[in-house]
Amino acid sequence: PRPSYWPKVQYRAVASLSTIRTVTKTRLLIAVVDDEEAVRIAIRRLLRSANMNAETFSSGAEFLDSIKEHQPDCVVLDLHMPQVNGFAVQARLTAAGSRVPVVIITGHDSSESRERALAGGAAAYLRKPVDDQALLEAIQQAVAQAAAKAGDQ
């Protein structure tokens, strides 16, 4: 069993890294949406070290404006932000028919938030501080799951 201080992770589907490499021929573009600058910087560095491109956004509104021009392969989304929170971003993505997978990160974990995020379509739900490997695996699985769904249609 994992120690109690390890992040709690819930996944909806499991896929292998080889599946992702087969599906994607270019580096993944991951959007990181978090109002905490230190979190954005740390996750951007982690993603770059894992050979992924990263775009960072300090607010939900800023991210939503950006997707009018291009869509990332996955969104790492904080739940608790001022003005447009993560739940609102998730709802707007769904309402717009976006198929971009979302990985939720939060420093305010609760069973209600977890259930709401997953019911809203989140591919994974992680508690801050986020374990680097758990985040990378969640992103990889979310992208593979989205690719598999796109291939089924």
Side-chain angles (χ1 to χ4, degrees), residues 53-95:
N53 291 323
E55 286 184 309
T56 60
F57 302 92
S58 61
S59 71
E62 182 184 5
F63 167 70
L64 290 169
D65 285 342
S66 80
I67 62 170
K68 295 172 186 170
E69 297 178 20
H70 68 280
Q71 297 251 336
D73 295 300
C74 185
V75 181
V76 176
L77 179 62
D78 184 22
L79 282 184
H80 299 281
M81 298 180 288
Q83 299 168 350
V84 182
N85 67 25
F87 291 121
V89 171
Q90 198 177 9
R92 289 186 191 172
L93 288 173
T94 301

mmCIF file of all heavy atoms in Angstrom, residues 53-95:
data_model
loop_
_atom_site.group_PDB
_atom_site.id
_atom_site.type_symbol
_atom_site.label_atom_id
_atom_site.label_comp_id
_atom_site.label_asym_id
_atom_site.label_seq_id
_atom_site.Cartn_x
_atom_site.Cartn_y
_atom_site.Cartn_z
ATOM 1 N N ASN A 53 5.607 19.700 -24.942
ATOM 2 C CA ASN A 53 5.503 21.158 -24.985
ATOM 3 C C ASN A 53 4.482 21.596 -23.944
ATOM 4 O O ASN A 53 3.507 20.880 -23.702
ATOM 5 C CB ASN A 53 5.065 21.637 -26.359
ATOM 6 C CG ASN A 53 6.131 21.412 -27.412
ATOM 7 O OD1 ASN A 53 7.319 21.550 -27.154
ATOM 8 N ND2 ASN A 53 5.707 21.041 -28.602
ATOM 9 N N ALA A 54 4.700 22.743 -23.358
ATOM 10 C CA ALA A 54 3.793 23.240 -22.323
ATOM 11 C C ALA A 54 3.474 24.709 -22.557
ATOM 12 O O ALA A 54 4.350 25.498 -22.882
ATOM 13 C CB ALA A 54 4.414 23.059 -20.948
ATOM 14 N N GLU A 55 2.188 25.028 -22.387
ATOM 15 C CA GLU A 55 1.728 26.410 -22.368
ATOM 16 C C GLU A 55 1.139 26.630 -20.989
ATOM 17 O O GLU A 55 0.418 25.762 -20.493
ATOM 18 C CB GLU A 55 0.615 26.643 -23.382
ATOM 19 C CG GLU A 55 1.041 26.680 -24.818
ATOM 20 C CD GLU A 55 -0.137 27.020 -25.709
ATOM 21 O OE1 GLU A 55 -1.191 26.376 -25.590
ATOM 22 O OE2 GLU A 55 0.008 27.930 -26.534
ATOM 23 N N THR A 56 1.418 27.773 -20.389
ATOM 24 C CA THR A 56 0.872 28.033 -19.061
ATOM 25 C C THR A 56 -0.082 29.211 -19.101
ATOM 26 O O THR A 56 0.098 30.150 -19.872
ATOM 27 C CB THR A 56 1.990 28.303 -18.037
ATOM 28 O OG1 THR A 56 2.749 29.444 -18.439
ATOM 29 C CG2 THR A 56 2.913 27.088 -17.898
ATOM 30 N N PHE A 57 -1.096 29.114 -18.231
ATOM 31 C CA PHE A 57 -2.127 30.150 -18.136
ATOM 32 C C PHE A 57 -2.402 30.410 -16.661
ATOM 33 O O PHE A 57 -2.576 29.470 -15.886
ATOM 34 C CB PHE A 57 -3.406 29.694 -18.843
ATOM 35 C CG PHE A 57 -3.184 29.357 -20.294
ATOM 36 C CD1 PHE A 57 -2.875 28.057 -20.667
ATOM 37 C CD2 PHE A 57 -3.237 30.350 -21.259
ATOM 38 C CE1 PHE A 57 -2.646 27.742 -22.001
ATOM 39 C CE2 PHE A 57 -3.005 30.041 -22.596
ATOM 40 C CZ PHE A 57 -2.708 28.735 -22.964
ATOM 41 N N SER A 58 -2.488 31.685 -16.305
ATOM 42 C CA SER A 58 -2.685 32.049 -14.901
ATOM 43 C C SER A 58 -4.151 32.099 -14.499
ATOM 44 O O SER A 58 -4.462 32.285 -13.327
ATOM 45 C CB SER A 58 -2.017 33.388 -14.600
ATOM 46 O OG SER A 58 -2.590 34.398 -15.408
ATOM 47 N N SER A 59 -5.047 31.930 -15.478
ATOM 48 C CA SER A 59 -6.474 31.953 -15.142
ATOM 49 C C SER A 59 -7.263 31.101 -16.127
ATOM 50 O O SER A 59 -6.817 30.840 -17.252
ATOM 51 C CB SER A 59 -7.007 33.391 -15.196
ATOM 52 O OG SER A 59 -7.073 33.851 -16.538
ATOM 53 N N GLY A 60 -8.445 30.715 -15.682
ATOM 54 C CA GLY A 60 -9.329 29.962 -16.552
ATOM 55 C C GLY A 60 -9.757 30.768 -17.759
ATOM 56 O O GLY A 60 -9.836 30.249 -18.877
ATOM 57 N N ALA A 61 -10.016 32.055 -17.560
ATOM 58 C CA ALA A 61 -10.431 32.927 -18.661
ATOM 59 C C ALA A 61 -9.339 33.035 -19.721
ATOM 60 O O ALA A 61 -9.619 32.980 -20.923
ATOM 61 C CB ALA A 61 -10.805 34.307 -18.123
ATOM 62 N N GLU A 62 -8.102 33.187 -19.280
ATOM 63 C CA GLU A 62 -6.976 33.282 -20.215
ATOM 64 C C GLU A 62 -6.869 32.000 -21.052
ATOM 65 O O GLU A 62 -6.676 32.056 -22.270
ATOM 66 C CB GLU A 62 -5.682 33.526 -19.426
ATOM 67 C CG GLU A 62 -4.450 33.683 -20.286
ATOM 68 C CD GLU A 62 -3.168 33.815 -19.473
ATOM 69 O OE1 GLU A 62 -3.196 33.694 -18.227
ATOM 70 O OE2 GLU A 62 -2.120 34.003 -20.116
ATOM 71 N N PHE A 63 -7.015 30.861 -20.419
ATOM 72 C CA PHE A 63 -6.966 29.590 -21.145
ATOM 73 C C PHE A 63 -8.115 29.484 -22.145
ATOM 74 O O PHE A 63 -7.910 29.115 -23.309
ATOM 75 C CB PHE A 63 -6.997 28.404 -20.177
ATOM 76 C CG PHE A 63 -7.263 27.103 -20.870
ATOM 77 C CD1 PHE A 63 -6.313 26.539 -21.709
ATOM 78 C CD2 PHE A 63 -8.480 26.458 -20.722
ATOM 79 C CE1 PHE A 63 -6.570 25.350 -22.380
ATOM 80 C CE2 PHE A 63 -8.747 25.267 -21.373
ATOM 81 C CZ PHE A 63 -7.786 24.709 -22.216
ATOM 82 N N LEU A 64 -9.330 29.790 -21.705
ATOM 83 C CA LEU A 64 -10.490 29.686 -22.593
ATOM 84 C C LEU A 64 -10.341 30.588 -23.817
ATOM 85 O O LEU A 64 -10.753 30.221 -24.918
ATOM 86 C CB LEU A 64 -11.777 29.989 -21.829
ATOM 87 C CG LEU A 64 -12.181 28.920 -20.809
ATOM 88 C CD1 LEU A 64 -13.297 29.432 -19.914
ATOM 89 C CD2 LEU A 64 -12.567 27.616 -21.492
ATOM 90 N N ASP A 65 -9.752 31.761 -23.651
ATOM 91 C CA ASP A 65 -9.494 32.647 -24.791
ATOM 92 C C ASP A 65 -8.506 32.002 -25.774
ATOM 93 O O ASP A 65 -8.647 32.155 -26.987
ATOM 94 C CB ASP A 65 -8.937 33.993 -24.332
ATOM 95 C CG ASP A 65 -10.000 34.885 -23.714
ATOM 96 O OD1 ASP A 65 -11.204 34.627 -23.930
ATOM 97 O OD2 ASP A 65 -9.617 35.840 -22.999
ATOM 98 N N SER A 66 -7.531 31.279 -25.252
ATOM 99 C CA SER A 66 -6.483 30.689 -26.099
ATOM 100 C C SER A 66 -6.999 29.558 -26.967
ATOM 101 O O SER A 66 -6.484 29.338 -28.065
ATOM 102 C CB SER A 66 -5.321 30.187 -25.246
ATOM 103 O OG SER A 66 -5.629 28.918 -24.674
ATOM 104 N N ILE A 67 -7.997 28.822 -26.514
ATOM 105 C CA ILE A 67 -8.437 27.651 -27.282
ATOM 106 C C ILE A 67 -9.282 28.026 -28.496
ATOM 107 O O ILE A 67 -9.624 27.162 -29.294
ATOM 108 C CB ILE A 67 -9.166 26.607 -26.408
ATOM 109 C CG1 ILE A 67 -10.438 27.174 -25.790
ATOM 110 C CG2 ILE A 67 -8.238 26.030 -25.361
ATOM 111 C CD1 ILE A 67 -11.292 26.133 -25.127
ATOM 112 N N LYS A 68 -9.559 29.307 -28.649
ATOM 113 C CA LYS A 68 -10.232 29.754 -29.861
ATOM 114 C C LYS A 68 -9.291 29.621 -31.062
ATOM 115 O O LYS A 68 -9.733 29.441 -32.190
ATOM 116 C CB LYS A 68 -10.693 31.204 -29.712
ATOM 117 C CG LYS A 68 -11.760 31.387 -28.650
ATOM 118 C CD LYS A 68 -12.048 32.844 -28.404
ATOM 119 C CE LYS A 68 -13.014 32.995 -27.231
ATOM 120 N NZ LYS A 68 -13.139 34.393 -26.804
ATOM 121 N N GLU A 69 -7.976 29.704 -30.806
ATOM 122 C CA GLU A 69 -6.977 29.646 -31.865
ATOM 123 C C GLU A 69 -6.397 28.260 -32.066
ATOM 124 O O GLU A 69 -6.064 27.880 -33.181
ATOM 125 C CB GLU A 69 -5.857 30.642 -31.567
ATOM 126 C CG GLU A 69 -6.334 32.080 -31.545
ATOM 127 C CD GLU A 69 -5.230 33.053 -31.197
ATOM 128 O OE1 GLU A 69 -4.052 32.693 -31.339
ATOM 129 O OE2 GLU A 69 -5.564 34.169 -30.782
ATOM 130 N N HIS A 70 -6.201 27.517 -31.008
ATOM 131 C CA HIS A 70 -5.657 26.162 -31.109
ATOM 132 C C HIS A 70 -6.009 25.365 -29.851
ATOM 133 O O HIS A 70 -6.259 25.938 -28.802
ATOM 134 C CB HIS A 70 -4.135 26.196 -31.316
ATOM 135 C CG HIS A 70 -3.382 26.702 -30.130
ATOM 136 N ND1 HIS A 70 -3.259 28.038 -29.855
ATOM 137 C CD2 HIS A 70 -2.725 26.056 -29.137
ATOM 138 C CE1 HIS A 70 -2.543 28.193 -28.747
ATOM 139 N NE2 HIS A 70 -2.215 27.010 -28.292
ATOM 140 N N GLN A 71 -6.016 24.054 -29.998
ATOM 141 C CA GLN A 71 -6.379 23.176 -28.886
ATOM 142 C C GLN A 71 -5.153 22.394 -28.432
ATOM 143 O O GLN A 71 -4.430 21.842 -29.263
ATOM 144 C CB GLN A 71 -7.453 22.185 -29.322
ATOM 145 C CG GLN A 71 -8.746 22.832 -29.731
ATOM 146 C CD GLN A 71 -9.847 22.598 -28.722
ATOM 147 O OE1 GLN A 71 -9.817 21.645 -27.971
ATOM 148 N NE2 GLN A 71 -10.824 23.466 -28.711
ATOM 149 N N PRO A 72 -4.937 22.312 -27.135
ATOM 150 C CA PRO A 72 -3.848 21.476 -26.637
ATOM 151 C C PRO A 72 -4.250 20.000 -26.706
ATOM 152 O O PRO A 72 -5.414 19.668 -26.932
ATOM 153 C CB PRO A 72 -3.693 21.935 -25.184
ATOM 154 C CG PRO A 72 -5.068 22.390 -24.807
ATOM 155 C CD PRO A 72 -5.658 22.989 -26.056
ATOM 156 N N ASP A 73 -3.289 19.126 -26.474
ATOM 157 C CA ASP A 73 -3.568 17.688 -26.434
ATOM 158 C C ASP A 73 -4.157 17.279 -25.088
ATOM 159 O O ASP A 73 -4.833 16.255 -24.993
ATOM 160 C CB ASP A 73 -2.285 16.898 -26.690
ATOM 161 C CG ASP A 73 -1.764 17.143 -28.096
ATOM 162 O OD1 ASP A 73 -2.494 16.834 -29.055
ATOM 163 O OD2 ASP A 73 -0.645 17.671 -28.230
ATOM 164 N N CYS A 74 -3.898 18.074 -24.053
ATOM 165 C CA CYS A 74 -4.397 17.793 -22.707
ATOM 166 C C CYS A 74 -4.317 19.080 -21.888
ATOM 167 O O CYS A 74 -3.492 19.944 -22.167
ATOM 168 C CB CYS A 74 -3.537 16.700 -22.054
ATOM 169 S SG CYS A 74 -4.114 16.138 -20.427
ATOM 170 N N VAL A 75 -5.180 19.175 -20.885
ATOM 171 C CA VAL A 75 -5.183 20.335 -19.988
ATOM 172 C C VAL A 75 -4.944 19.845 -18.566
ATOM 173 O O VAL A 75 -5.648 18.945 -18.086
ATOM 174 C CB VAL A 75 -6.533 21.083 -20.035
ATOM 175 C CG1 VAL A 75 -6.508 22.289 -19.106
ATOM 176 C CG2 VAL A 75 -6.873 21.507 -21.444
ATOM 177 N N VAL A 76 -3.965 20.425 -17.904
ATOM 178 C CA VAL A 76 -3.752 20.219 -16.474
ATOM 179 C C VAL A 76 -4.398 21.423 -15.810
ATOM 180 O O VAL A 76 -3.961 22.559 -15.997
ATOM 181 C CB VAL A 76 -2.255 20.113 -16.121
ATOM 182 C CG1 VAL A 76 -2.062 20.007 -14.622
ATOM 183 C CG2 VAL A 76 -1.627 18.916 -16.838
ATOM 184 N N LEU A 77 -5.460 21.175 -15.043
ATOM 185 C CA LEU A 77 -6.347 22.250 -14.597
ATOM 186 C C LEU A 77 -6.518 22.276 -13.088
ATOM 187 O O LEU A 77 -6.971 21.295 -12.491
ATOM 188 C CB LEU A 77 -7.714 22.038 -15.277
ATOM 189 C CG LEU A 77 -8.837 23.014 -14.974
ATOM 190 C CD1 LEU A 77 -8.478 24.424 -15.423
ATOM 191 C CD2 LEU A 77 -10.119 22.534 -15.661
ATOM 192 N N ASP A 78 -6.168 23.410 -12.491
ATOM 193 C CA ASP A 78 -6.417 23.623 -11.060
ATOM 194 C C ASP A 78 -7.909 23.886 -10.880
ATOM 195 O O ASP A 78 -8.540 24.537 -11.707
ATOM 196 C CB ASP A 78 -5.600 24.821 -10.575
ATOM 197 C CG ASP A 78 -5.713 25.067 -9.073
ATOM 198 O OD1 ASP A 78 -6.062 24.132 -8.330
ATOM 199 O OD2 ASP A 78 -5.449 26.208 -8.660
ATOM 200 N N LEU A 79 -8.467 23.397 -9.796
ATOM 201 C CA LEU A 79 -9.889 23.622 -9.536
ATOM 202 C C LEU A 79 -10.170 24.980 -8.924
ATOM 203 O O LEU A 79 -11.121 25.652 -9.294
ATOM 204 C CB LEU A 79 -10.440 22.546 -8.591
ATOM 205 C CG LEU A 79 -10.751 21.194 -9.189
ATOM 206 C CD1 LEU A 79 -11.377 20.291 -8.131
ATOM 207 C CD2 LEU A 79 -11.656 21.308 -10.396
ATOM 208 N N HIS A 80 -9.359 25.384 -7.975
ATOM 209 C CA HIS A 80 -9.665 26.577 -7.179
ATOM 210 C C HIS A 80 -8.832 27.765 -7.636
ATOM 211 O O HIS A 80 -7.674 27.917 -7.256
ATOM 212 C CB HIS A 80 -9.471 26.280 -5.695
ATOM 213 C CG HIS A 80 -10.379 25.192 -5.230
ATOM 214 N ND1 HIS A 80 -11.704 25.409 -4.941
ATOM 215 C CD2 HIS A 80 -10.166 23.879 -5.042
ATOM 216 C CE1 HIS A 80 -12.271 24.278 -4.590
ATOM 217 N NE2 HIS A 80 -11.358 23.326 -4.646
ATOM 218 N N MET A 81 -9.461 28.580 -8.491
ATOM 219 C CA MET A 81 -8.845 29.798 -9.001
ATOM 220 C C MET A 81 -9.872 30.916 -8.902
ATOM 221 O O MET A 81 -11.073 30.656 -8.930
ATOM 222 C CB MET A 81 -8.438 29.616 -10.477
ATOM 223 C CG MET A 81 -7.407 28.541 -10.713
ATOM 224 S SD MET A 81 -6.973 28.382 -12.467
ATOM 225 C CE MET A 81 -8.459 27.629 -13.132
ATOM 226 N N PRO A 82 -9.410 32.158 -8.801
ATOM 227 C CA PRO A 82 -10.369 33.270 -8.752
ATOM 228 C C PRO A 82 -11.094 33.437 -10.085
ATOM 229 O O PRO A 82 -10.608 33.010 -11.130
ATOM 230 C CB PRO A 82 -9.488 34.482 -8.439
ATOM 231 C CG PRO A 82 -8.097 34.081 -8.733
ATOM 232 C CD PRO A 82 -8.035 32.594 -8.678
ATOM 233 N N GLN A 83 -12.243 34.048 -10.040
ATOM 234 C CA GLN A 83 -13.081 34.346 -11.200
ATOM 235 C C GLN A 83 -13.573 33.070 -11.868
ATOM 236 O O GLN A 83 -14.571 32.518 -11.456
ATOM 237 C CB GLN A 83 -12.374 35.280 -12.177
ATOM 238 C CG GLN A 83 -12.037 36.613 -11.555
ATOM 239 C CD GLN A 83 -11.094 37.432 -12.392
ATOM 240 O OE1 GLN A 83 -10.523 36.966 -13.355
ATOM 241 N NE2 GLN A 83 -10.903 38.681 -11.993
ATOM 242 N N VAL A 84 -12.880 32.577 -12.883
ATOM 243 C CA VAL A 84 -13.308 31.368 -13.596
ATOM 244 C C VAL A 84 -12.548 30.173 -13.003
ATOM 245 O O VAL A 84 -11.373 29.985 -13.290
ATOM 246 C CB VAL A 84 -13.038 31.493 -15.114
ATOM 247 C CG1 VAL A 84 -13.526 30.249 -15.841
ATOM 248 C CG2 VAL A 84 -13.691 32.741 -15.675
ATOM 249 N N ASN A 85 -13.239 29.384 -12.178
ATOM 250 C CA ASN A 85 -12.552 28.259 -11.539
ATOM 251 C C ASN A 85 -12.476 27.056 -12.475
ATOM 252 O O ASN A 85 -13.010 27.067 -13.583
ATOM 253 C CB ASN A 85 -13.208 27.901 -10.198
ATOM 254 C CG ASN A 85 -14.603 27.338 -10.356
ATOM 255 O OD1 ASN A 85 -14.976 26.775 -11.379
ATOM 256 N ND2 ASN A 85 -15.401 27.479 -9.311
ATOM 257 N N GLY A 86 -11.815 26.008 -12.007
ATOM 258 C CA GLY A 86 -11.624 24.817 -12.827
ATOM 259 C C GLY A 86 -12.918 24.141 -13.235
ATOM 260 O O GLY A 86 -13.042 23.625 -14.354
ATOM 261 N N PHE A 87 -13.911 24.125 -12.340
ATOM 262 C CA PHE A 87 -15.199 23.526 -12.694
ATOM 263 C C PHE A 87 -15.857 24.283 -13.845
ATOM 264 O O PHE A 87 -16.438 23.684 -14.745
ATOM 265 C CB PHE A 87 -16.138 23.502 -11.485
ATOM 266 C CG PHE A 87 -15.724 22.548 -10.405
ATOM 267 C CD1 PHE A 87 -15.460 23.003 -9.126
ATOM 268 C CD2 PHE A 87 -15.605 21.187 -10.659
ATOM 269 C CE1 PHE A 87 -15.089 22.124 -8.126
ATOM 270 C CE2 PHE A 87 -15.238 20.296 -9.661
ATOM 271 C CZ PHE A 87 -14.975 20.770 -8.390
ATOM 272 N N ALA A 88 -15.763 25.612 -13.815
ATOM 273 C CA ALA A 88 -16.350 26.428 -14.881
ATOM 274 C C ALA A 88 -15.624 26.195 -16.205
ATOM 275 O O ALA A 88 -16.259 26.104 -17.265
ATOM 276 C CB ALA A 88 -16.314 27.905 -14.507
ATOM 277 N N VAL A 89 -14.300 26.079 -16.153
ATOM 278 C CA VAL A 89 -13.527 25.796 -17.369
ATOM 279 C C VAL A 89 -13.942 24.443 -17.932
ATOM 280 O O VAL A 89 -14.203 24.302 -19.136
ATOM 281 C CB VAL A 89 -12.006 25.823 -17.085
ATOM 282 C CG1 VAL A 89 -11.216 25.309 -18.282
ATOM 283 C CG2 VAL A 89 -11.555 27.227 -16.711
ATOM 284 N N GLN A 90 -14.024 23.459 -17.060
ATOM 285 C CA GLN A 90 -14.419 22.118 -17.475
ATOM 286 C C GLN A 90 -15.811 22.140 -18.125
ATOM 287 O O GLN A 90 -16.025 21.540 -19.177
ATOM 288 C CB GLN A 90 -14.395 21.199 -16.248
ATOM 289 C CG GLN A 90 -14.368 19.738 -16.544
ATOM 290 C CD GLN A 90 -14.283 18.897 -15.274
ATOM 291 O OE1 GLN A 90 -14.411 19.385 -14.154
ATOM 292 N NE2 GLN A 90 -14.069 17.617 -15.461
ATOM 293 N N ALA A 91 -16.747 22.863 -17.520
ATOM 294 C CA ALA A 91 -18.104 22.949 -18.049
ATOM 295 C C ALA A 91 -18.130 23.641 -19.411
ATOM 296 O O ALA A 91 -18.856 23.216 -20.322
ATOM 297 C CB ALA A 91 -19.006 23.692 -17.064
ATOM 298 N N ARG A 92 -17.340 24.690 -19.569
ATOM 299 C CA ARG A 92 -17.313 25.407 -20.854
ATOM 300 C C ARG A 92 -16.690 24.554 -21.957
ATOM 301 O O ARG A 92 -17.126 24.609 -23.108
ATOM 302 C CB ARG A 92 -16.583 26.732 -20.711
ATOM 303 C CG ARG A 92 -17.388 27.729 -19.907
ATOM 304 C CD ARG A 92 -16.743 29.078 -19.883
ATOM 305 N NE ARG A 92 -17.385 29.936 -18.906
ATOM 306 C CZ ARG A 92 -16.934 31.117 -18.557
ATOM 307 N NH1 ARG A 92 -15.837 31.602 -19.107
ATOM 308 N NH2 ARG A 92 -17.566 31.839 -17.654
ATOM 309 N N LEU A 93 -15.667 23.785 -21.615
ATOM 310 C CA LEU A 93 -15.075 22.874 -22.597
ATOM 311 C C LEU A 93 -16.113 21.851 -23.064
ATOM 312 O O LEU A 93 -16.257 21.597 -24.260
ATOM 313 C CB LEU A 93 -13.855 22.158 -22.010
ATOM 314 C CG LEU A 93 -12.602 22.996 -21.804
ATOM 315 C CD1 LEU A 93 -11.543 22.193 -21.050
ATOM 316 C CD2 LEU A 93 -12.051 23.492 -23.130
ATOM 317 N N THR A 94 -16.838 21.293 -22.117
ATOM 318 C CA THR A 94 -17.864 20.300 -22.438
ATOM 319 C C THR A 94 -18.968 20.929 -23.284
ATOM 320 O O THR A 94 -19.392 20.356 -24.295
ATOM 321 C CB THR A 94 -18.458 19.706 -21.149
ATOM 322 O OG1 THR A 94 -17.394 19.093 -20.401
ATOM 323 C CG2 THR A 94 -19.522 18.674 -21.444
ATOM 324 N N ALA A 95 -19.426 22.107 -22.890
ATOM 325 C CA ALA A 95 -20.497 22.789 -23.628
ATOM 326 C C ALA A 95 -20.081 23.123 -25.056
ATOM 327 O O ALA A 95 -20.907 23.115 -25.970
ATOM 328 C CB ALA A 95 -20.911 24.065 -22.898
#
